[in-house]
Amino acid sequence: MTTRTKITVAVLGAAVAGALALVPLTDDGSGGEADSSADSSDVVLGTAEKEAVPSFTATDWVSYGDQVAVVRVTAEHERRDPDTDEEAGTEEDYLSRTVDLQVEELVWARSDAPALPPTVSVTADGWQLKDGAKKELGSPDSSRLEVGHDYVITFARFSDGAWSPLGSGGVLPYDHGRIGEGEFQGETGTADAYRSTWEERLVPGDEQPMAFRAAGKPAGSVQGILRSATPEATAARYFDLDPAARYQKVAGAGEPADTFCSVAAPLAVSEDSRHTPDELASVLTDLADLAGPAGKDASALRRYATSLEAGAGTSAPVDDTARKASVARIEQECGTEVGELRPTDTEEDAGTG
């Protein structure tokens, strides 16, 4: 990994090593180097990051978060990267940083979620070392987590046992008891400016981010928003998994599911596909599973599959009544001609081919 890549990957606020898999992205979807054109600010803003778990909306928080708390950053620590040390003397180096968080108030917890420790240490944006100068690195649309500032953070515990902010969207400034007041992108700002920033990023039809909905309000407002939010249905079925694995399940749910006719398609005469008795029996069993509650049609599919398995490699007759009923079931539902629905790839065929 090059030093430039390290800088790009490392500038996700409060990401725990090994907990979140990050893919550096610029606006055009490609990797890029840190953007040092942050006006007159001393903070270098890195490129946007694609995170392993979504974290910006109330739905994200209740689907993947475990605890929400008000915290104060009490200390920061340099963390030397051995790979970076090996490249000492290059024009650009990255110095990693961890911060200590003191939990001041518990705001919300997912049902049956693990208890949040009173203090948590997390990895945060560090520093860019360039030509002998040390500059703070920050992430777009995210707080850097500066010592002495307060934040409302949605935390998650990952499979390695580490606690971490859910993602960049799960960290809200909270100085003086107002969400949006305090440190954001490495600079101190007002709640009104924070709300305006997020208002510019609203997408019609999309769920509004927590940062916009809660800006200017006390932490208790977050509890009300989350209590009325509904977790993503697939995520709710996998609360026993850590957030990253849970989101993998949710992302996979978007893939087309097998249907009765999609599984039956290879059996069509027009496909000229070959099936041994066991292979045909396996397809028929899958079709029976997809046919719904056991009934006449599903029963015929199972009985024919069973007779194929029992007679595989022998001259034993199959259940012909079940075979004919299976043909009728498939052709009636899918409009697919499957012929006699007999095995077409046998040892006898192999010997005569």
Side-chain angles (χ1 to χ4, degrees):
M1 181 184 292
T2 66
T3 302
R4 177 173 297 172
T5 302
K6 284 181 205 157
I7 292 174
T8 306
V9 173
V11 293
L12 174 68
V16 170
L20 299 181
L22 309 177
V23 180
L25 297 175
T26 58
D27 290 339
D28 63 358
S30 59
E33 62 182 297
D35 177 11
S36 59
S37 59
D39 299 324
S40 58
S41 171
D42 290 331
V43 178
V44 178
L45 290 183
T47 53
E49 299 286 346
K50 180 179 179 180
E51 301 174 9
V53 182
S55 63
F56 285 89
T57 68
T59 299
D60 296 335
W61 286 29
V62 298
S63 296
Y64 308 107
D66 289 317
Q67 300 272 356
V68 176
V70 176
V71 304
R72 171 162 293 184
V73 183
T74 57
E76 64 181 12
H77 312 278
E78 293 182 0
R79 192 180 71 181
R80 291 287 178 177
D81 183 341
D83 292 335
T84 301
D85 290 342
E86 290 176 5
E87 297 180 10
T90 59
E91 292 184 357
E92 280 188 14
D93 290 318
Y94 175 72
L95 181 58
S96 183
R97 181 175 70 114
T98 60
V99 295
D100 298 336
L101 309 177
Q102 176 69 46
V103 175
E104 299 184 321
E105 177 187 351
L106 293 175
V107 176
W108 173 88
R110 178 176 59 80
S111 178
D112 298 324
L116 182 68
T119 59
V120 181
S121 294
V122 302
T123 301
D125 292 326
W127 297 272
Q128 178 186 24
L129 305 177
K130 185 174 182 180
D131 298 329
K134 179 179 176 182
K135 278 201 169 186
E136 296 176 344
L137 282 174
S139 298
D141 298 335
S142 180
S143 291
R144 189 171 182 272
L145 294 178
E146 298 278 12
V147 174
H149 288 278
D150 293 339
Y151 303 86
V152 172
I153 296 180
T154 176
F155 287 95
R157 190 174 70 176
F158 289 83
S159 58
D160 59 0
W163 284 90
S164 169
L166 188 61
S168 56
V171 179
L172 311 181
Y174 193 59
D175 286 355
H176 312 120
R178 296 186 70 200
I179 291 174
E181 195 95 4
E183 184 271 317
F184 179 63
Q185 297 186 141
E187 302 218 352
T188 302
T190 66
D192 289 341
Y194 184 75
R195 180 180 173 84
S196 295
T197 295
W198 285 103
E199 188 171 17
E200 294 173 357
R201 289 157 172 72
L202 297 181
V203 178
D206 285 0
E207 183 179 353
Q208 294 176 346
M210 286 292 292
F212 175 77
R213 296 178 67 180
K217 300 176 182 179
S221 66
V222 170
Q223 184 183 78
I225 293 172
L226 297 182
R227 283 181 172 176
S228 63
T230 302
E232 204 285 330
T234 302
R237 291 199 297 271
Y238 291 100
F239 277 141
D240 57 318
L241 301 179
D242 90 319
R246 196 180 312 154
Y247 181 60
Q248 297 266 334
K249 294 289 186 180
V250 173
E255 299 174 359
D258 287 336
T259 65
F260 184 92
C261 292
S262 69
V263 172
L267 301 178
V269 173
S270 60
E271 291 296 319
D272 195 29
S273 54
R274 313 290 293 176
H275 297 89
T276 66
D278 284 340
E279 290 169 344
L280 180 56
S282 178
V283 174
L284 292 167
T285 299
D286 289 342
L287 290 174
D289 291 340
L290 291 167
K296 180 179 179 181
D297 293 333
S299 176
L301 291 163
R302 293 189 192 282
R303 285 190 287 111
Y304 184 33
T306 299
S307 69
L308 283 168
E309 292 172 335
T314 73
S315 58
V318 298
D319 188 331
D320 209 45
T321 301
R323 178 185 64 80
K324 291 177 181 179
S326 297
V327 170
R329 171 73 165 89
I330 296 169
E331 292 187 343
Q332 180 180 2
E333 177 154 337
C334 304
T336 300
E337 184 182 352
V338 294
E340 294 188 348
L341 200 60
R342 297 183 185 276
T344 52
D345 189 5
T346 64
E347 291 182 5
E348 183 179 343
D349 292 334
T352 60

